[in-house]
């Protein structure tokens, strides 16, 4: 049943007249503005590029968190699926995968673009893409959690940012330090392992929490 | 006559208002339960309880399949006041998704014929009329292959032909051993069998 939901979400994304591009556009605009704001010092830009790209990625992801369950909840689909298959964890895990494919992967593929803007070396771009990829499950899991928590209670999107920010902070810290260390120690350095651990913890805690909040939200 | 659903001494309150208490009833195959009552009296709450989505404050609901207690999802399918359709999908794509979800292996063409939408199956559901959307959500009950149909105001936006279609489908379903719970503020209609009436009043809830 997860595969049915994922297939439907992918089909909906292709029919959405490019809603998924919005995140990529925001990502690109954020980076362009950052480059303009920080001036012409290319040595400085190269130095802080990993932090800026990570921030841009998180901000773009935060923007899309609110949409994960909203439509399905408001048109009654979520209730229907729950009635057919009373296992919210299956729904949550399906939405998790679908969200990564439709919202986060387009952003991830846009990272080399940032490399062009900041004039980064291939090594740094590779380190950046790997660190984001390893942190991606954590970002998606906390996004799903915040979205599930707020949607059934009709809470505002601002709450999502407040809920996610503390959880995403360690991901950001280890993500950025992973890029810095990639050129020296490669993929098997401590920050990458920490990032991987954070992703595992996020999947093991945030996904069950999201399914519990959906279940109780209807009661 | 096998039971599908029993309510045992159910009480539900919303905030500080008691909606109903001490509600006990049994739904067996061939039953139609028609829940009447004014707006806001708790009809939809009672339906949500029957689907297993909501839980009563006290008392217990039990669902049965072959006289064994089972999860609600094994026996229940639901038509809410929301149609749960995606405007970006065609009627056929939308119903296919639900068919996959409830493991309906049959052909969807006869289902579209049954609900009178065979000429509209390649139209985006966003472009269907309110009555046609309702018919499509009726089709979900058909493909779910569950014995208990729970329907919230099924004929609200339907024309006369649509109402006859609903009555016909419920009659067919019930005469094949299913049962139905219908919430409506219109007076109960005879659906082949005489429906059992449950009237909810704001002051004195009574079974």
């Amino acid at each position: 049943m997860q595969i049915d939901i994922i297939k439907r979400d992918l089909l909906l994304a292709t029919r959405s007249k490019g809603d998924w591009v919005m995140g990529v556009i925001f990502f690109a605009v954020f980076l362009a503005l950052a480059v303009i704001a920080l001036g012409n010092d290319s040595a400085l830009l190269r130095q802080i590029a990993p932090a800026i790209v990570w921030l841009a990625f998180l901000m773009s992801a935060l923007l899309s968190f609110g949409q994960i369950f909203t439509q399905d909840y408001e048109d009654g689909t979520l209730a229907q699926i729950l009635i057919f298959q009373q296992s919210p964890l299956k729904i949550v895990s399906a939405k998790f995968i679908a969200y990564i494919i439709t919202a986060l992967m387009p952003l991830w593929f846009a990272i080399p673009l940032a490399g062009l803007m900041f004039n980064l070396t291939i090594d740094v771009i590779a380190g950046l893409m790997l660190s984001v990829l390893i942190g991606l499950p954590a970002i998606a899991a906390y996004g799903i959690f915040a979205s599930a928590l707020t949607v059934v209670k009709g809470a505002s999107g601002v709450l999502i940012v407040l809920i996610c920010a503390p959880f995403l902070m360690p991901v950001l810290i280890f993500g950025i330090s992973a890029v810095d260390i990639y050129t020296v120690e490669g993929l098997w350095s401590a920050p990458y392992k920490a990032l991987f651990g954070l992703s595992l913890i996020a999947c093991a805690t945030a996904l069950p929490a999201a399914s519990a909040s959906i279940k109780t939200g209807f009661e | 006559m096998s039971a599908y659903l029993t309510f045992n001494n159910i009480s539900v309150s919303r905030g500080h208002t008691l909606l109903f208490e001490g509600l006990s009833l049994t739904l067996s195959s061939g039953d139609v339960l028609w829940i009447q009552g004014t707006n806001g009296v708790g009809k939809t709450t009672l339906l949500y309880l029957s689907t297993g989505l909501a839980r009563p404050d006290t008392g217990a609901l039990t669902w049965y399949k072959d006289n064994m207690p089972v999860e609600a999802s094994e026996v229940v399918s639901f038509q809410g006041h929301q149609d749960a359709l995606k405007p970006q999908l065609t009627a056929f794509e939308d119903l296919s998704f639900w068919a996959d979800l409830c493991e309906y292996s049959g052909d969807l063409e006869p289902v579209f014929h049954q609900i009178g939408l065979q000429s509209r199956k390649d139209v985006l559901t966003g472009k269907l009329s309110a009555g046609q959307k309702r018919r499509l959500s009726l089709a979900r009950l058909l493909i779910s292959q569950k014995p208990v149909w729970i329907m919230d105001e099924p004929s609200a936006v339907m024309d006369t032909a649509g109402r006859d279609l609903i009555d016909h489908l419920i009659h067919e379903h019930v005469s094949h051993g299913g049962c139905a719970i219908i919430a409506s503020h219109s007076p109960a209609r005879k659906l082949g069998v005489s429906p059992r009436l449950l009237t909810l009043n704001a002051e004195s809830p009574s079974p």
Side-chain angles (χ1 to χ4, degrees):
Chain A
M1 85 157 263
Q2 280 105 325
I3 196 79
D4 301 323
I5 297 178
I6 296 168
K7 260 164 45 188
R8 187 210 58 165
D9 274 12
L10 295 187
L11 186 60
L12 285 176
T14 61
R15 297 275 170 85
S16 66
K17 301 197 180 76
D19 279 352
W20 57 275
V21 189
M22 283 311 295
V24 180
I25 292 173
F26 180 85
F27 182 70
V29 169
F30 188 106
L31 290 173
L33 290 179
V35 171
I36 293 167
L38 293 166
N40 229 352
D41 186 348
S42 63
L44 172 77
L45 278 182
R46 254 204 299 277
Q47 204 184 339
I48 58 171
I52 301 285
V53 174
W54 254 99
L55 268 180
F57 193 91
L58 277 189
M59 291 299 155
S60 316
L62 267 177
L63 264 189
S64 57
F65 285 170
Q67 302 303 314
I68 300 175
F69 285 109
T70 311
Q71 212 197 4
D72 276 345
Y73 176 70
E74 282 173 358
D75 67 11
T77 305
L78 199 55
Q80 277 290 351
I81 300 178
L82 271 174
I83 289 167
F84 277 135
Q85 293 270 352
Q86 298 200 333
S87 164
L89 190 58
K90 283 187 182 171
I91 301 170
V92 165
S93 56
K95 292 298 271 187
F96 172 71
I97 295 168
Y99 174 70
I100 288 182
I101 299 174
T102 59
L104 296 186
M105 286 322 277
L107 280 181
W108 187 73
F109 282 114
I111 291 178
L113 186 84
L116 286 179
M117 280 189 202
F118 288 90
N119 199 15
L120 301 176
T121 59
I122 295 291
D123 261 3
V124 178
I125 295 177
L128 203 50
M129 290 189 84
L130 283 171
S131 78
V132 173
L133 186 66
I134 295 170
L136 207 101
I139 300 171
Y142 290 129
I144 295 263
F145 168 61
S147 179
L149 207 57
T150 49
V151 71
V152 281
K153 298 296 181 198
S156 80
V158 182
L159 207 53
I160 292 185
V161 178
L162 290 177
I163 294 169
C164 285
F167 290 115
L168 292 178
M169 227 173 283
V171 180
L172 186 66
I173 292 168
F174 285 108
I176 294 168
S177 57
V179 185
D180 291 336
I181 216 159
Y182 180 76
T183 43
V184 190
E185 290 185 30
L187 192 54
W188 307 109
S189 57
Y192 280 103
K193 287 176 187 162
L195 207 52
F196 188 61
L198 285 173
S199 278
L200 289 181
I201 294 171
C203 292
T205 56
L207 296 184
S211 70
S213 72
I214 284 182
K215 183 84 183 150
T216 51
F218 280 101
E219 285 171 5
Chain B
M1 283 289 173
S2 58
Y4 285 123
L5 171 57
T6 61
F7 288 68
N8 193 0
N9 210 8
I10 300 287
S11 309
V12 176
S13 50
R14 185 192 293 144
H16 294 292
T17 328
L18 186 68
L19 289 179
F20 36 85
E21 64 177 339
L23 177 68
S24 297
L25 58 89
T26 301
L27 272 172
S28 308
S29 80
D31 275 344
V32 176
L33 179 69
W34 192 286
I35 305 171
Q36 281 179 319
T38 46
N39 291 337
V41 81
K43 298 193 295 288
T44 302
T45 308
L46 193 55
L47 293 188
Y48 262 59
L49 286 178
S50 320
T51 63
L53 261 191
R55 253 166 248 206
D57 294 343
T58 60
L61 286 95
T62 321
W63 295 264
Y64 295 94
K65 190 180 188 180
D66 306 324
N67 294 319
M68 295 290 287
V70 289
E71 290 271 327
S73 53
E74 302 245 341
V75 287
V76 158
S77 82
F78 176 63
Q79 182 187 36
H81 64 270
Q82 292 162 310
D83 292 318
L85 301 172
K86 294 287 172 199
Q88 305 96 318
L89 299 182
T90 67
F92 187 81
E93 286 166 339
D94 205 288
L95 197 60
S96 303
F97 164 66
W98 294 103
D100 290 341
L101 205 65
C102 47
E103 284 152 13
Y104 175 79
S105 49
D107 196 0
L108 288 180
E109 293 288 333
V111 179
F112 275 101
H113 196 75
Q114 228 174 332
I115 57 167
L117 283 185
Q118 63 273 42
S119 62
R120 306 284 286 165
K121 68 181 168 59
D122 293 321
V123 178
L124 295 179
T125 64
K127 300 242 190 290
L128 295 177
S129 75
Q132 288 170 330
K133 286 180 189 164
R134 222 76 242 276
R135 284 167 186 250
L136 200 53
S137 71
L138 264 178
R140 198 179 304 137
L141 293 177
L142 290 171
I143 59 171
S144 72
Q145 301 159 300
K146 305 279 165 64
V148 184
W149 285 7
I150 296 169
M151 306 165 91
D152 197 355
E153 299 283 358
S155 53
V157 293
M158 287 290 208
D159 55 9
T160 325
R163 258 175 234 155
D164 290 344
L165 171 74
I166 293 173
D167 291 358
H168 172 71
L169 290 178
I170 295 173
H171 172 61
E172 286 269 293
H173 177 65
V174 168
S175 58
H176 283 91
C179 71
I181 306 176
I182 299 156
S184 178
H185 38 237
S186 60
R189 295 186 297 276
K190 196 163 166 24
L191 302 158
V193 293
S194 297
R196 293 160 64 186
L197 276 181
L198 174 67
T199 308
L200 298 176
N201 292 315
E203 286 84 28
S204 54
S206 62

